[in-house]
Amino acid sequence: MTTVWATPQQVDATGVAVTAQLLAQAQDDIEIFSGRIYADTDRIRARDVHWLGAAVARQAAWLTEQYDVATRLDATETSQDGVSNKLTPDGAVLAPMAGKALRRCSWMRSRTVHVGTPFEGGRYVTNQLLESADDSQVWRPMP
């Protein structure tokens, strides 16, 4: 069996029996959507590995009921016999619960950048982003 983020308990929790091949396909799908690969697991936080495992398990369970996911067209709306259906952008290739688990990973959330106030640290700087303010800032090497 290939190396995957999902534990047997996470796969069992879906209530669907999956093959090793489906689990490997789900792993590949989640690597594509997450932008992370299994080889870098030791550099990923434990909490994020948990959510990646949940995403792989849910994707594998979802794949059992899908036909030909690898060759589908990239469509967000379909219509047949007067019935139309709108999908989310990844709705035809990513399990809904897998997408929900991926959004809980730390790098998938939005971030806020703290710029600071004009009066910070006891000195007044009009705009800390200006090059002229560089001399008043303490230099620190990046981690």
Side-chain angles (χ1 to χ4, degrees):
M1 186 169 148
T2 61
T3 50
V4 295
W5 284 310
T7 64
Q9 293 81 13
Q10 287 172 310
V11 176
D12 291 343
T14 65
V16 177
V18 296
T19 63
Q21 180 183 4
L22 262 180
L23 201 55
Q25 182 180 352
Q27 175 72 25
D28 286 343
D29 292 349
I30 298 303
E31 285 181 356
I32 290 168
F33 279 99
S34 69
R36 301 293 188 266
I37 59 172
Y38 186 83
D40 289 339
T41 300
D42 57 336
R43 296 176 43 206
I44 301 172
R45 295 183 340 191
R47 182 177 184 272
D48 290 331
V49 171
H50 169 80
W51 290 118
L52 288 169
V56 169
R58 301 299 175 164
Q59 181 73 7
W62 182 77
L63 285 172
T64 61
E65 298 297 322
Q66 303 302 311
Y67 64 92
D68 209 14
V69 174
T71 58
R72 286 186 180 165
L73 295 175
D74 189 12
T76 58
E77 187 172 350
T78 59
S79 179
Q80 181 177 354
D81 299 332
V83 177
S84 64
N85 184 18
K86 278 191 169 187
L87 300 170
T88 60
D90 297 322
V93 290
L94 183 66
M97 293 300 286
K100 198 168 205 52
L102 281 178
R103 285 189 291 277
R104 293 185 180 273
C105 291
S106 62
W107 63 88
M108 301 293 269
R109 292 179 288 198
S110 64
R111 291 185 171 83
T112 303
V113 178
H114 175 69
V115 177
T117 62
F119 186 77
E120 190 167 297
R123 62 187 186 282
Y124 184 76
V125 179
T126 57
N127 186 348
Q128 293 180 347
L129 300 177
L130 293 175
E131 189 174 339
S132 60
D134 286 350
D135 293 334
S136 63
Q137 303 293 323
V138 177
W139 183 86
R140 292 179 302 229
M142 291 180 62

